[in-house]
Amino acid sequence: MVNALAPETTERVHSPRDAGSTGSAVDGRRRTRLRRRQAVVGYLFLAPTLLFFAVFLILPLGFALLLSMSRWAGFDLGDIDPVGLDNFADLFVDGSTFLAPILTNTLLFALGTVALALAGSVLVANCIDKLRLQGLWRTLYFLPIVTTVVAIGNVWKYMYEPGGLVNGVLNALGLGSVAFLQDPDTALPAVVVVQAWASVGTAILILTAGLKSIPDSYYEAAALDGAGPVTVFWKITLPLLRPSLLFVCITQFITGLQSFALIIVMTKGGPGDATNVAALEMYRQAFSYGDWGTASAAAFVLFAVVLVVTLVQLWIFRLKGEDT
Amino acid sequence: MIRRRFPWFSYLVVVTGAVLTVVPFLDMVMTSFKGPGESGTLPYRFLPEAFDLSNYRAAIDQLDLPVLFRNSVIATALITGSVLLTSSLAGYALAKLRFPGRNFIFRLVLSTMMFPPFLFFIPHFLILVHWPLVGGNDLFGRGGAGLTVSITALAMPFLVNGFGIFLMRQFMVSIPDEVLEAARIDGAGEFAVWWRIVVPQTKPVMVTLGLLTFVDAWNEYIWALLVSTANPDVMTLPVGIQLLQDYVDPTRTMPIVMAGLVLSILPVLILFLLLQKYYIRGVMLSGLK
């Protein structure tokens, strides 16, 4: 994932070598001893981390790759039956639901949440910037982020019910009730709204940081030229906010492509496959049907999609002369 | 152009958005106080007729809340403690010690942040099931349920966090080497240098990382669901509440579910309100989630 911090900071290296060495033989021996001691200590300090990465990163990656090219029924590791790329072929064979609707849903889900969250957060962040009590507002917008997906999913699921808040508002406005999560046409958009609602807070935070970094002199110059607030927003704020926007865009898109916890809680992928997404399908193949091979293959396909989408976004941004 | 003193449009947008954000939480709280037959009925009513506290008692009784709470606390404590410790140790080594392979390890740490979590659910689960010599397994990890029978299974895949190491390292790089060198000359070993000098200086970033980790661990759902499907004894709060929601009549028990949800998000909410400065800084640093 992309990070806000620059990955490498320039280090000021003051090794023991530079620290007042006179070049004598005694110093030399001391230096070697120090360096050897640092190496031992360094690896000692890193030992838990390296052990963890070996067991929970390297081993699983190899394991997942092996499984994705095998058929495996049971729990005995000796029964793993290599089948080459059959699992991948099965995902894309005619009549498979993986490409459509599942991958399509995944992309629509990610696109929808990014579009909604971005539009909402740009608007709100820009407006908060003009108000007092900014901390209070940001805290309010932050509530969904610190809340478990189980709470968010259940509250919204309940609000979408015929006797729930959303339909209550619709009825009060004289409109009929909508079976949001039961209707295949509305289920996916309904879940998208919730995911966007849950992620607006983070986006606001990052955009606010971006807004703060725009020099006041630009706005003063615009005011002197008599530019209205809308012009200022389109001609100054948005272009200068682009790095933050790109960052929000990429991270939210990645999150959107991968998320499924909310969907498990709200719809379990239904009705039918209307809200089924790739990560959920993978989860179900593995843990409901015990088809570890297909599930692992689906995981790698999703990984590839995430990677490609991210690279394409980065490429587009480069093309526009922006460095993220 | 006359500058408006009162930015009414901004207030309109921000207040509307804040209402949209807060109302679902209010609805949750209000529903948790509704009596039997008061929720899910038409027409919709926001306020309960009387503030009925019995749902909270029902949630505690039906959910075996103390056990869920205990499991959540243990898993969260294990994860947070381990992430802080390993991030600080590894961060120190990567920032301040010189040894062959350091740059390679740092790149490895960075790369771990790029792997999507779903890629690991299946292999992590299988690794825990086939962990040698525990939970009835033999040396080759066969025969039993492995580590999936223990609470540690909830925490295992989250004990080390690449972002945590990265964050600590970035912070520690700025600690002057002269201070560390002086301590070394005074005869302090590397462990003492880390514990006495580096750790105290990194307290703010430790709080930030600790809070981020705590919130994530407390709210984690998918992995906990997976582990407790294999062994219901290690169910956490989110999993337990979701289970209650799944198996009972939604119109009658919705208030009980909402009461359980209120109880489950309360600890993290209080902690967030107390330490939000640190949490917000953490999210801005990571930009993840």
Side-chain angles (χ1 to χ4, degrees):
Chain A
M1 246 157 272
V2 195
N3 263 282
L5 286 175
E8 298 276 355
T9 54
T10 36
E11 289 170 59
R12 292 164 298 124
V13 180
H14 290 289
S15 68
R17 195 176 17 205
D18 310 323
S21 89
T22 53
S24 76
V26 182
D27 268 8
R29 240 174 287 137
R30 186 170 165 269
R31 257 186 278 129
T32 326
R33 214 176 53 225
L34 262 177
R35 216 174 301 156
R36 201 174 303 142
R37 197 185 71 174
Q38 283 217 344
V40 171
V41 174
Y43 277 103
L44 216 60
F45 276 34
L46 281 166
T49 296
L50 293 177
L51 197 67
F52 179 88
F53 283 161
V55 177
F56 287 98
L57 185 82
I58 312 288
L59 183 64
L61 278 177
F63 205 9
L65 202 61
L66 175 73
L67 277 180
S68 73
M69 290 186 279
S70 315
R71 201 142 290 159
W72 191 41
F75 276 83
D76 196 336
L77 293 174
D79 291 346
I80 295 178
D81 173 26
V83 293
L85 296 175
D86 282 9
N87 291 326
F88 291 92
D90 285 351
L91 288 175
F92 296 104
V93 81
D94 264 354
S96 154
T97 51
F98 189 70
L99 207 55
I102 295 169
L103 263 187
T104 323
N105 283 346
T106 312
L107 283 167
L108 286 176
F109 181 82
L111 265 175
T113 55
V114 168
L116 275 182
L118 211 58
S121 59
V122 168
L123 191 61
V124 172
N126 196 47
C127 288
I128 284 185
D129 205 39
K130 298 190 172 80
L131 302 186
R132 270 180 238 158
L133 300 175
Q134 298 189 6
L136 171 76
W137 299 119
R138 254 176 265 130
T139 305
L140 286 180
Y141 281 102
F142 227 67
L143 286 178
I145 301 176
V146 288
T147 312
T148 165
V149 67
V150 169
I152 291 175
N154 277 305
V155 170
W156 275 90
K157 187 177 169 187
Y158 170 60
M159 294 203 314
Y160 280 139
E161 291 290 314
L165 176 72
V166 179
N167 276 312
V169 171
L170 288 181
N171 294 342
L173 295 171
L175 299 166
S177 296
V178 181
F180 288 99
L181 297 177
Q182 289 75 35
D183 182 340
D185 293 334
T186 52
L188 191 64
V191 185
V192 163
V193 166
V194 181
Q195 174 82 18
W197 175 85
S199 47
V200 159
T202 314
I204 288 178
L205 203 62
I206 290 159
L207 293 180
T208 305
L211 284 171
K212 298 267 180 243
S213 68
I214 300 176
D216 282 339
S217 53
Y218 287 102
Y219 291 112
E220 284 156 14
L224 281 178
D225 288 346
V230 177
T231 317
V232 169
F233 177 73
W234 284 106
K235 299 277 176 184
I236 295 177
T237 309
L238 265 193
L240 288 171
L241 203 55
R242 208 154 72 187
S244 313
L245 285 173
L246 308 182
F247 181 74
V248 170
C249 212
I250 291 184
T251 50
Q252 302 276 21
F253 212 94
I254 293 174
T255 312
L257 287 175
Q258 301 181 3
S259 51
F260 65 112
L262 187 70
I263 292 174
I264 286 192
V265 172
M266 289 186 74
T267 65
K268 297 190 172 59
D273 267 332
T275 56
N276 198 2
V277 291
L280 175 61
E281 177 67 9
M282 174 211 104
Y283 189 87
R284 291 208 300 203
Q285 290 284 354
F287 299 106
S288 303
Y289 314 136
D291 190 348
W292 308 98
T294 308
S296 301
F300 277 104
V301 172
L302 180 53
F303 182 33
V305 170
V306 171
L307 209 62
V308 168
V309 167
T310 310
L311 288 177
V312 166
Q313 288 187 78
L314 281 172
W315 179 69
I316 292 173
F317 300 149
R318 286 267 159 70
L319 222 59
K320 292 192 172 174
E322 287 286 354
D323 208 18
T324 43
Chain B
M1 151 124 191
I2 304 151
R3 201 175 157 77
R4 281 195 194 86
R5 292 288 299 278
F6 188 77
W8 61 270
F9 177 75
S10 296
Y11 269 105
L12 188 72
V13 169
V14 172
V15 171
T16 309
V19 167
L20 287 178
T21 307
V22 175
V23 156
F25 288 97
L26 291 179
D27 194 41
M28 171 171 70
V29 174
M30 291 303 153
T31 306
S32 75
F33 290 119
K34 283 179 182 170
E38 248 194 280
S39 73
T41 48
L42 292 167
Y44 169 81
R45 287 187 60 222
F46 184 65
L47 292 169
E49 269 166 32
F51 282 81
D52 187 352
L53 277 167
S54 65
N55 297 315
Y56 285 86
R57 187 167 309 127
I60 292 169
D61 291 344
Q62 292 190 22
L63 277 171
D64 212 353
L65 215 61
V67 174
L68 299 182
F69 203 81
R70 184 202 66 193
N71 291 343
S72 275
V73 167
I74 293 177
T76 304
L78 278 175
I79 293 169
T80 311
S82 170
V83 164
L84 284 180
L85 183 70
T86 55
S87 299
S88 181
L89 284 172
Y92 177 63
L94 293 174
K96 289 297 173 195
L97 300 176
R98 298 179 58 77
F99 50 90
R102 183 177 78 153
N103 288 332
F104 172 77
I105 294 172
F106 185 54
R107 268 186 222 116
L108 178 76
V109 169
L110 288 180
S111 73
T112 61
M113 292 190 271
M114 278 178 268
F115 288 108
F118 62 77
L119 209 56
F120 296 98
F121 287 132
I122 298 167
H124 278 173
F125 189 74
L126 295 175
I127 286 170
L128 290 189
V129 170
H130 293 285
W131 200 278
L133 299 173
V134 288
N137 279 354
D138 63 13
L139 184 61
F140 301 101
R142 288 175 307 200
L147 271 181
T148 52
V149 292
S150 87
I151 288 185
T152 49
L154 290 169
M156 286 295 265
F158 307 107
L159 290 179
V160 173
N161 182 318
F163 168 70
I165 297 172
F166 170 71
L167 190 66
M168 295 308 294
R169 183 221 173 249
Q170 297 307 89
F171 198 80
M172 287 171 179
V173 160
S174 61
I175 297 175
D177 282 307
E178 290 77 4
V179 182
L180 309 181
E181 206 51 55
R184 286 182 193 130
I185 287 165
D186 286 347
E190 288 303 327
F191 189 81
V193 172
W194 169 74
W195 177 247
R196 296 248 177 86
I197 297 170
V198 176
V199 168
Q201 289 209 37
T202 50
K203 255 185 204 151
V205 75
M206 291 274 239
V207 176
T208 300
L209 179 61
L211 198 57
L212 271 182
T213 313
F214 180 94
V215 171
D216 278 353
W218 186 265
N219 290 338
E220 208 285 328
Y221 174 61
I222 296 292
W223 176 252
L225 171 69
L226 211 56
V227 176
S228 48
T229 306
N231 174 26
D233 290 343
V234 300
M235 210 176 270
T236 59
L237 271 171
V239 180
I241 292 168
Q242 183 59 28
L243 201 69
L244 178 70
Q245 200 279 332
D246 279 347
Y247 283 97
V248 283
D249 167 26
T251 50
R252 283 206 51 226
T253 49
M254 191 50 79
I256 301 174
V257 172
M258 293 298 161
L261 289 176
V262 171
L263 291 177
S264 80
I265 65 174
L266 219 50
V268 88
L269 209 60
I270 291 169
L271 206 63
F272 167 70
L273 289 177
L274 289 176
L275 298 169
Q276 55 166 308
K277 176 177 81 171
Y278 293 97
Y279 188 82
I280 285 175
R281 187 166 63 187
V283 172
M284 288 182 86
L285 283 170
S286 64
L288 310 171
K289 290 205 68 168

